[in-house]
């Protein structure tokens, strides 16, 4: 079993260990019921209600077996490899692969990775290595061979139709406050703030006592000194009298590739982890970070409300549309052509298998939400949080079981247009609700006039941008690539002689792609370039 990481700046996990009868138990992360269990059976029985991000490893000395439990949403990742002779288990994918993988690239999984931006199901870069899935109990023998795998928790969506909307808002306030009080309980706390609603929701629970303690520091980042995002974030932090730092993201990515690959392990497009720009400051300012990740999903419907009478095939196509990227260059040029292979059937099969595992959810809107949580969240959203974890322990508020159990009772109709979250903020933090919501350029009391009374204001701003020819970067790849340093870096990782990448795609098409990208830097080409950069850097660092 390997629990270590490769980078000396990695701060690791909270750690607990104890002996229970004939078992040695090790917990990585925060596990509320660690001292409540008297046996491994108790761990299994109590697991569904446990809060926090954790991995539990246990060595049963009697049976000579390893047991592993993941938390409900797989917010900490662990991997298992078996090369036919030896096994490895650990939290750092490159070390697990080095110990017990034949390192044969899994091109089916890579096809999905290029198409979706994340690996499907439990697949990884290698055919003989798997990620441990959420809400699951694994048992391995003493040689590292997988014996059993089973879920200890399954989705049960039971909307409470008897609870009034007003009572639902009140219950949300109670549960959210309880979760946030736990998250703020100790240490120096960093609170990232954006121009949206999720991060400001976390501030509703920051009391004047917490503010006066001096333990909480807030920050935000944008792509220009006059960033709307940092302007709004400053107003939000001021409303709660919090220390605040605004950052303007500059080119950093190509100088930080080694650390980024160590933190994200190559599982996600490296441009998505823009928090890397402020990583060292987070480490200096805090011990704990409040991560508002996935709040927008819980607080939104998935576009199928009211619930339509939708066929299984139509739901499958809807789910694929949610995750499929538009540009096909990667599939045309990188994935090896195998005669007889049907890429569309392969991708459909990955999504269909995940949806079938959720067929007990009758509401199609919530089934899509559960699918996104099991896949998109698990495989795409979580890897960049390891950048936070390298600096300070991230407490992922919207993965707390108390809060997610609440959302399992909320009718989807209450969530259309973020209505529940808006009314929650208006009810419990009207001062924060009066601050502009970036998406609508209006506060929560007036945003509904976006396409009526606010239309002239929006038109004036658009005309001003056109007259001033103001170029606004909205995506990290624009900041990192659309400059001479960025182009030189991309040529280093994509076209220089001797790259492993050239075993799978020849240099001329790559050079043509770069030329087209710099002639017309569209979002689709930006995605393609970012994924190629990630894959090439991963090949050089972890598969060389």
């Amino acid at each position: 079993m390997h629990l270590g990481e490769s980078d000396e700046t990695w701060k690791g996990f909270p750690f607990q260990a104890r002996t229970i009868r004939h078992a040695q138990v090790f917990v990585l992360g925060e596990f509320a019921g660690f001292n409540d269990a008297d046996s491994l059976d108790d761990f299994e029985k109590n697991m569904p209600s446990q809060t926090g991000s954790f991995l539990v490893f246990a060595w049963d000395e009697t049976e000579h077996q390893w047991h592993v439990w993941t938390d409900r949403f797989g917010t900490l990742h662990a991997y298992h490899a078996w090369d036919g002779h030896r096994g490895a288990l650990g939290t750092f994918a490159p070390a697990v692969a080095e110990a017990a993988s034949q390192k044969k690239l899994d091109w089916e999984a890579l096809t999905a990775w290029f198409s979706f931006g994340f690996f499907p199901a439990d697949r990884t870069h290698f055919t003989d290595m798997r990620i441990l899935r959420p809400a699951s109990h694994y048992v391995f023998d003493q040689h590292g061979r997988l014996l059993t795998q089973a879920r200890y928790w399954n989705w049960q969506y039971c909307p409470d139709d008897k609870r009034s909307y007003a009572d639902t808002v009140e219950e949300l306030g109670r549960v959210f406050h309880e979760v946030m009080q736990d998250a703020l309980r100790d240490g120096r706390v960093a609170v990232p703030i954006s121009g949206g609603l999720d991060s400001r929701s976390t501030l509703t629970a920051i009391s004047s006592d917490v503010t006066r303690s001096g333990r909480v520091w807030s920050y935000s980042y944008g792509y220009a000194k006059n960033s709307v995002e940092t302007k709004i974030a400053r107003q939000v932090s001021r409303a709660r009298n919090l220390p605040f730092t605004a950052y303007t993201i500059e080119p950093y990515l190509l100088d930080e590739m080694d650390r980024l690959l160590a933190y994200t392990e190559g599982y996600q497009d490296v441009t998505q982890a823009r928090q890397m720009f402020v990583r060292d400051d987070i480490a200096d300012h805090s011990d704990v970070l409040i991560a508002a990740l996935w709040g927008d999903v819980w607080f939104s419907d998935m576009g199928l409300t009211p619930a339509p009478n939708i066929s299984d095939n139509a739901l499958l196509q809807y789910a694929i549309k949610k995750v499929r990227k538009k540009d096909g260059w990667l599939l045309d040029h990188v994935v090896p052509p195998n005669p007889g292979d049907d890429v569309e059937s392969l991708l459909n099969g990955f999504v269909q298998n995940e949806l079938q595992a959720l067929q007990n959810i009758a509401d199609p809107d919530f089934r899509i939400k559960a699918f996104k949580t099991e896949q998109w969240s698990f495989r795409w959203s979580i890897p960049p949080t390891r950048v936070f974890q390298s600096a300070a322990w991230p407490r992922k508020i919207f993965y707390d079981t108390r809060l997610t159990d609440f959302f399992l009772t909320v009718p989807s109709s209450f969530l259309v247009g973020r209505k529940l979250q808006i009314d929650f903020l208006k009810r419990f933090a009207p001062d924060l609700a009066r601050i502009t919501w970036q998406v609508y350029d209006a506060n929560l009391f007036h945003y509904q006039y976006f396409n009526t009374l606010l239309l002239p204001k929006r038109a004036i701003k658009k005309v001003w941008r056109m007259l001033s020819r103001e170029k606004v970067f909205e995506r990290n790849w624009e900041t990192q690539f659309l400059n001479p340093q960025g182009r030189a870096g991309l040529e280093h990782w994509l076209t220089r002689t001797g790259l492993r990448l050239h075993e799978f795609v020849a240099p001329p098409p790559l050079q043509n792609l770069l030329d087209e990208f710099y002639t017309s830097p569209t979002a689709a080409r930006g995605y393609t370039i970012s994924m190629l950069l990630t894959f090439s850097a991963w090949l050089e660092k972890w598969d060389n």
Side-chain angles (χ1 to χ4, degrees):
M1 182 175 70
H2 185 282
L3 301 180
E5 309 294 329
S6 71
D7 186 84
E8 67 277 3
T9 61
W10 174 261
K11 288 197 174 179
F13 306 82
F15 178 77
Q16 300 177 82
R18 61 182 288 219
T19 300
I20 302 178
R21 295 187 183 178
H22 300 291
Q24 298 293 321
V25 181
F26 311 92
V27 174
L28 301 182
E30 294 182 323
F31 185 83
F34 180 63
N35 293 316
D36 299 336
D38 295 321
S39 68
L40 294 186
D41 287 341
D42 286 345
F43 271 101
E44 177 78 9
K45 181 177 64 176
N46 298 334
M47 196 60 65
S49 62
Q50 295 303 318
T51 63
S53 295
F54 59 81
L55 287 164
V56 177
F57 296 85
W59 170 247
D60 187 329
E61 296 176 347
T62 302
E63 300 294 332
H64 300 288
Q65 294 175 345
W66 278 104
H67 295 254
V68 185
W69 289 270
T70 57
D71 68 41
R72 189 187 287 187
F73 301 109
T75 62
L76 296 181
H77 288 176
Y79 308 89
H80 171 251
W82 175 258
D83 64 5
H85 303 284
R86 58 183 179 174
L89 177 66
T91 63
F92 189 49
V96 173
E98 191 65 31
S101 172
Q102 298 181 39
K103 292 191 174 181
K104 180 181 178 181
L105 290 175
D106 186 340
W107 281 105
E108 287 186 349
L110 284 164
T111 298
W113 185 71
F114 287 128
S115 301
F116 302 152
F118 56 83
F119 282 94
D122 61 353
R123 306 288 277 270
T124 70
H125 298 87
F126 299 122
T127 57
D128 55 7
M129 188 169 77
R130 293 288 188 267
I131 192 169
L132 304 193
R133 300 195 64 157
S136 295
H137 176 200
Y138 291 78
V139 181
F140 303 89
D141 70 16
Q142 60 187 329
H143 303 295
R145 184 187 289 106
L146 176 63
L147 299 178
T148 64
Q149 171 190 349
R151 285 185 69 101
Y152 63 77
W153 176 85
N154 290 292
W155 292 84
Q156 296 292 332
Y157 178 53
C158 302
D160 188 344
D161 297 322
K162 296 181 179 179
R163 184 176 58 199
S164 70
Y165 178 78
D167 286 345
T168 302
V169 174
E170 291 297 319
E171 180 65 5
L172 170 61
R174 184 193 67 78
V175 176
F176 195 83
H177 185 81
E178 178 183 330
V179 170
M180 279 301 302
Q181 288 303 301
D182 277 357
L184 295 166
R185 64 184 179 270
D186 54 24
R188 299 172 304 153
V189 182
V191 182
I193 305 177
S194 71
L197 302 185
D198 299 334
S199 59
R200 80 176 65 181
S201 293
T202 66
L203 267 62
T204 61
I206 295 182
S207 65
S208 56
D209 289 342
V210 172
T211 300
R212 284 194 297 269
S213 72
R215 295 189 296 109
V216 180
W217 165 70
S218 63
Y219 71 89
S220 185
Y221 33 55
Y223 296 116
K225 291 184 178 179
N226 62 344
S227 163
V228 172
E229 184 169 2
T230 54
K231 178 182 177 181
I232 294 172
R234 187 184 301 277
Q235 295 172 357
V236 171
S237 66
R238 188 179 296 139
R240 286 295 183 267
N241 297 312
L242 294 176
F244 176 80
T245 305
Y247 296 92
T248 300
I249 294 182
E250 299 173 357
Y252 69 88
L253 176 65
L254 296 159
D255 293 330
E256 292 283 7
M257 285 300 294
D258 276 351
R259 284 207 294 177
L260 260 177
L261 284 171
Y263 299 153
T264 65
E265 306 166 291
Y267 281 104
Q268 194 217 41
D269 158 17
V270 289
T271 70
Q272 297 298 325
R274 63 177 185 165
Q275 61 265 46
M276 189 67 213
F277 182 71
V278 298
R279 183 262 169 214
D280 292 343
D281 278 10
I282 293 172
D284 290 340
H285 281 87
S286 60
D287 309 301
V288 170
L289 181 138
I290 303 299
L293 176 72
W294 218 241
D296 60 328
V297 175
W298 290 120
F299 276 120
S300 301
D301 70 296
M302 295 291 103
L304 294 175
T305 301
N309 184 13
I310 187 169
S311 68
D312 289 343
N313 183 63
L315 191 66
L316 170 63
Q317 297 309 314
Y318 190 82
I320 291 172
K321 185 178 179 180
K322 284 284 186 182
V323 299
R324 186 76 183 269
K325 303 301 180 183
K326 294 180 180 179
D327 187 37
W329 192 98
L330 293 163
L331 297 184
D332 291 339
H333 291 84
V334 183
V335 176
N338 295 313
D341 280 2
D342 184 341
V343 170
E344 296 304 318
S345 294
L346 174 69
L347 300 177
N348 285 2
F350 280 132
V351 176
Q352 187 173 37
N353 287 340
E354 296 304 310
L355 285 175
Q356 285 178 343
L358 301 167
Q359 60 185 345
N360 66 301
I361 302 174
D363 183 286
D365 192 88
F366 198 88
R367 193 187 304 180
I368 293 294
K369 184 175 295 188
F371 161 74
K372 286 189 67 173
T373 305
E374 287 280 328
Q375 282 294 286
W376 190 328
S377 164
F378 177 46
R379 304 307 308 271
W380 188 86
S381 300
I382 293 299
T385 67
R386 286 170 56 95
V387 177
F388 287 136
Q389 188 181 342
S390 76
W393 177 249
R395 288 184 175 146
K396 306 175 184 78
I397 302 306
F398 290 104
Y399 295 87
D400 188 290
T401 54
R402 291 167 292 183
L403 195 53
T404 57
D405 282 345
F406 164 78
F407 281 111
L408 292 174
T409 70
V410 176
S412 295
S413 60
F414 289 3
L415 304 171
V416 175
R418 306 287 286 270
K419 179 175 172 57
L420 182 68
Q421 187 174 26
I422 290 168
D423 288 338
F424 160 75
L425 284 163
K426 289 163 70 174
R427 164 68 179 83
F428 292 99
D431 56 333
L432 299 180
R434 292 189 182 95
I435 297 171
T436 300
W437 182 9
Q438 186 175 346
V439 173
Y440 286 94
D441 193 21
N443 69 41
L444 302 190
F445 293 95
H446 298 134
Y447 78 97
Q448 64 269 34
Y449 305 121
F450 182 70
N451 288 316
T452 54
L453 298 179
L454 296 175
L455 199 58
K457 173 185 173 182
R458 291 167 52 209
I460 291 171
K461 285 190 173 183
K462 183 175 182 179
V463 170
W464 171 253
R465 286 195 301 270
M466 293 173 62
L467 293 175
S468 64
R469 296 184 179 180
E470 179 182 9
K471 184 173 180 61
V472 179
F473 284 165
E474 298 178 343
R475 291 157 293 207
N476 198 26
W477 61 260
E478 294 175 303
T479 298
Q480 305 309 318
F481 300 155
L482 300 183
N483 54 69
Q485 176 189 354
R487 180 154 193 166
L490 289 177
E491 289 174 349
H492 173 82
W493 286 110
L494 300 184
T495 61
R496 68 181 164 94
T497 303
L499 288 171
R500 285 282 321 278
L501 180 65
H502 299 161
E503 297 175 23
F504 312 109
V505 56
L510 289 167
Q511 188 61 60
N512 290 339
L513 174 67
L514 275 178
D515 293 341
E516 292 171 355
F517 172 68
Y518 280 101
T519 299
S520 178
T522 63
R525 290 191 180 116
Y527 170 78
T528 299
I529 292 289
S530 299
M531 293 294 281
L532 282 170
L533 168 64
T534 305
F535 186 52
S536 180
W538 178 86
L539 285 169
E540 296 301 316
K541 186 173 180 66
W542 300 127
D543 191 42
N544 192 355

